[in-house]
Amino acid sequence: MESIDATHAFDALSHPARLEVFRLLVRRGPSGVRPSDIAAALRLKPNTLSVYLAALQAAGLVASQRAGRAVLYRAELRRVGALVDYLVDDCCRGRPDLCSTHLDMTPMSRDGAAREAPFHVLFLCTGNSARSIFAEALLTELGGARFVAHSAGLDPAAGLNPRAVEVLERAGHDVSSLRAKPVSEFQRSDAPRMDFVFTVCDRAANEHCPPWPGQPMTGHWGLPDPVAAQGTEAEKSLAFAQTYAQMRRRIEGFVALPLQSLDRLALQQRLDEIGRHPSFQSRETLT
């Protein structure tokens, strides 16, 4: 990246509200976000948001695309990566006292040794009563000893949704240890160190959480909330069954990934690929 381009990017990010818009879009990855969702999450007026998005687009940090009648905005991840490289490689000149947090591109090893301990995976949602609980139960079953699954909610419900419990029990899952719990349980100093953190609802992805220790891999695997489904009792139950099936395909794809052989960039691309397709099937399954 040229210095003049970096200057434009820094200028666009110098406004606190524009920076918050940019941070939200980066958290959502390549999936794209409707302006109305951005405005609601950040409590911005639509016309104010339009000005902020225009400034970020002019700096090359944000792009828009039409999806039917809707317009989705997403962060230009390559441009953002170029800005980070500019800071690390040009401004910092590789100084270890400035760049000590630069990512190791071999994510599944620590201290130069092969990874033997299980991977800790956290699924985040709003209520932690259905989607993230499905993910926790599925990874516990399908991941075996390789993974330890966790889930939490930003605003956890009083208990698990009865329809979610019914779907899990019908599929043969042990639900005795599952419960709705706050994300704060996993932000304590004695909490397990996460290797992966996935958001499974849009609100959780939109919220800003403090950085997780250890730079875990992250991804957004949003699915519609079955709790909000309308219609007959049968239609509501069907919504839960469909959400469970979609989450199962994603977890199957995740556990099939060759984690030990993928560097961080390749692994992030695969995690994003899983999140973009509700009916995702792993490449290993398809081939």
Side-chain angles (χ1 to χ4, degrees):
M1 174 177 284
E2 298 295 331
S3 295
I4 187 64
D5 296 323
T7 300
H8 290 159
F10 292 140
D11 183 62
L13 297 174
S14 64
H15 189 283
R18 288 199 299 264
L19 179 60
E20 285 305 307
V21 172
F22 175 74
R23 293 170 73 185
L24 185 153
L25 292 175
V26 170
R27 291 196 296 274
R28 292 293 296 272
S31 57
V33 190
R34 297 170 184 265
S36 57
D37 292 338
I38 302 173
L42 300 181
R43 298 179 181 179
L44 294 172
K45 295 180 180 179
N47 58 339
T48 302
L49 175 63
S50 296
V51 174
Y52 294 160
L53 288 170
L56 292 169
Q57 279 191 289
L61 296 171
V62 167
S64 62
Q65 64 184 68
R66 183 166 292 280
R69 295 184 178 181
V71 176
L72 302 180
Y73 286 84
R74 57 178 174 78
E76 284 281 30
L77 297 181
R78 290 187 179 181
R79 182 78 166 183
V80 176
L83 183 61
V84 172
D85 288 342
Y86 173 82
L87 285 171
V88 173
D89 298 331
D90 191 302
C91 295
C92 297
R93 298 291 178 179
R95 290 177 58 93
D97 51 345
L98 294 177
C99 305
S100 60
T101 59
H102 198 45
L103 291 176
D104 179 358
M105 293 303 288
T106 56
M108 295 304 127
S109 62
R110 288 180 180 160
D111 301 324
R115 178 65 183 270
E116 295 180 357
F119 300 109
H120 284 265
V121 184
L122 175 63
F123 298 97
L124 291 177
C125 200
T126 302
N128 191 212
S129 68
R131 287 167 290 183
S132 53
I133 290 292
F134 284 163
E136 179 183 357
L138 283 163
L139 184 58
T140 298
E141 176 188 307
L142 300 176
R146 295 175 60 216
F147 299 92
V148 178
H150 311 272
S151 70
L154 301 177
D155 185 17
L160 303 186
N161 186 283
R163 286 193 174 90
V165 173
E166 180 183 354
V167 169
L168 289 171
E169 290 181 332
R170 190 165 58 243
H173 294 279
D174 179 6
V175 300
S176 60
S177 63
L178 297 175
R179 61 185 177 88
K181 45 204 170 294
V183 68
S184 58
E185 284 194 16
F186 299 95
Q187 294 173 325
R188 301 190 305 236
S189 59
D190 60 345
R193 180 176 176 180
M194 295 301 156
D195 297 288
F196 297 90
V197 177
F198 299 111
T199 51
V200 295
C201 72
D202 289 346
R203 179 185 165 188
N206 290 343
E207 292 287 337
H208 175 63
C209 292
W212 294 94
Q215 297 176 328
M217 303 293 297
T218 64
H220 177 55
W221 292 357
L223 288 173
D225 185 4
V227 177
Q230 302 294 315
T232 65
E233 293 301 304
E235 289 171 333
K236 292 177 182 178
S237 295
L238 178 61
F240 278 84
Q242 290 175 332
T243 300
Y244 172 85
Q246 291 173 333
M247 189 64 75
R248 185 180 187 93
R249 284 190 286 270
R250 291 183 169 182
I251 300 300
E252 288 173 341
F254 175 58
V255 300
L257 293 175
L259 299 180
Q260 299 287 6
S261 62
L262 293 174
D263 63 29
R264 288 186 71 99
L265 180 59
L267 179 55
Q268 187 67 66
Q269 291 172 343
R270 301 292 284 275
L271 298 179
D272 288 341
E273 182 180 330
I274 292 173
R276 281 195 295 268
H277 303 290
S279 298
F280 177 84
Q281 287 182 298
S282 70
R283 296 177 187 176
E284 288 75 13
T285 301
L286 293 172
T287 57

